């Protein structure tokens, strides 16, 4: 141990070290009381024991703990010069990597699923509507899914809307919409339920 204890403190230090190791844990007040010294002198002794690594560090009123057993201290002939403290363990570091998690519907939308004049599929975080043109809808942009039942001479519709309400625009002109006939209603409803469940939004039947 490289720390040299001043000669004028050596006797008090040895007594303090013996007390610290023997009791295992203590406070400055307890050390002062045991050795019948003032708290200032006791705090100086604790400071030296901290520097030598014999006890844990702390503030004035904190509990200190000996970092060596009484058996080991006896084996070292109770001399601080023979003591070589182990390095304090480094605090464990946790590395958290921010991962961007995107919802995907590839396992929800069957491959090659066709409705009236459009085929619907999914790729990564997009719903793909392929008709005369191909439209890609990011699932993060979908605020509501509307399921409109077909009526006499009027087709039903499945709308993947960025708005929470349907506007007055004609459904057949909407790029985010799939039309279907009466025979496909059950298929459309099943798909709508699966998609809204995955996205965590409510299906809006009309």
């Amino acid at each position: 141990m490289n720390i040299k204890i001043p000669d004028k403190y050596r006797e008090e230090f040895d007594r303090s070290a013996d007390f610290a190791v023997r009791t295992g844990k203590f406070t400055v007040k307890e050390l002062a009381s045991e050795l019948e010294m003032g708290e200032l002198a006791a705090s100086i002794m604790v400071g030296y024991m901290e520097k030598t690594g014999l006890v844990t560090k702390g503030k004035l009123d904190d509990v200190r703990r000996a970092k060596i057993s009484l058996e080991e201290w006896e084996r070292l002939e109770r001399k601080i010069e023979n003591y070589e403290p182990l390095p304090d363990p480094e605090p464990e570091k946790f590395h958290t990597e921010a991962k961007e998690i995107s919802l995907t519907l590839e396992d929800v939308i069957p491959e090659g699923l066709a409705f009236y004049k459009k085929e619907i599929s999914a790729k990564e975080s997009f719903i793909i509507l392929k008709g005369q043109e191909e439209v890609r809808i990011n699932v993060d942009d979908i605020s509501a899914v509307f399921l409109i039942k077909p009526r006499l001479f009027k087709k039903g519709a499945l709308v993947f809307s960025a708005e929470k309400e349907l506007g007055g625009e004609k459904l057949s002109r909407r790029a985010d919409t799939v039309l279907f006939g009466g025979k496909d209603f059950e298929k459309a409803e099943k798909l709508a339920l699966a998609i809204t469940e995955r996205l965590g939004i409510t299906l809006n039947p009309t």
Side-chain angles (χ1 to χ4, degrees):
M1 173 53 59
N2 296 327
I3 301 279
K4 177 162 177 65
I5 309 301
D7 292 339
K8 64 178 179 177
Y9 292 139
R10 184 59 196 239
E11 182 180 351
E12 287 85 353
F13 176 85
D14 288 343
R15 292 170 61 210
S16 298
D18 286 344
F19 171 75
V21 176
R22 185 174 71 254
T23 58
K25 61 180 182 178
F26 65 97
T27 64
V28 170
K29 287 183 179 180
E30 290 171 343
L31 176 63
S33 176
E34 174 69 19
L35 301 187
E36 299 180 347
M37 63 172 65
E39 289 187 22
L40 177 59
S43 66
I44 292 174
M45 296 302 104
V46 170
Y48 278 117
M49 286 192 285
E50 287 180 346
K51 288 180 181 179
T52 60
L54 189 67
V55 301
T56 57
K57 295 181 179 180
K59 296 180 181 178
L60 181 61
D61 295 327
D62 289 347
V63 173
R64 288 2 186 251
R65 288 176 170 78
K67 299 170 75 172
I68 186 175
S69 68
L70 180 58
E71 292 77 8
E72 183 68 12
W73 185 238
E74 294 285 357
R75 190 182 68 80
L76 297 178
E77 299 177 349
R78 298 191 301 174
K79 291 183 178 179
I80 195 64
E81 290 80 8
N82 297 333
Y83 174 64
E84 192 64 39
L86 294 173
D88 291 331
E90 292 187 9
E92 190 173 355
K93 296 179 181 179
F94 296 95
H95 298 284
T96 54
E97 296 182 2
K99 293 184 179 180
E100 186 176 342
I101 301 175
S102 297
L103 288 172
T104 177
L105 298 172
E106 291 183 62
D107 60 327
V108 171
I109 301 176
E111 190 173 343
L113 188 62
F115 289 98
Y116 180 72
K117 293 186 178 180
K118 282 186 181 179
E119 185 176 289
I120 181 171
S121 61
K123 182 69 175 177
E124 296 175 349
S125 60
F126 292 91
I127 292 176
I128 302 170
L129 306 181
K130 184 179 288 186
Q132 291 182 339
E133 298 180 353
E134 182 176 291
V135 176
R136 289 175 170 252
I137 304 170
N138 192 319
V139 296
D140 293 331
D141 295 334
I142 298 174
S143 296
V145 176
F146 295 91
L147 178 65
I148 302 168
K149 288 185 177 182
R151 295 178 176 84
L152 187 63
F153 304 120
K154 192 172 183 180
K155 294 194 178 298
L158 188 55
V159 185
F160 304 103
S161 175
E163 307 295 332
K164 292 192 175 182
E165 295 182 3
L166 276 177
E169 186 180 358
K170 195 173 181 179
L171 293 175
S172 60
R173 295 179 180 174
R174 292 183 64 120
D176 60 358
T177 300
V178 172
L179 300 179
F180 57 86
K183 64 183 178 60
D184 286 332
F185 174 71
E186 187 176 333
K187 179 172 67 173
E189 182 180 40
K190 183 178 178 181
L191 177 64
L193 287 169
I195 290 175
T196 52
E197 183 179 352
R198 173 61 59 83
L199 299 184
I201 59 178
T202 304
L203 176 62
N204 297 282
T206 61

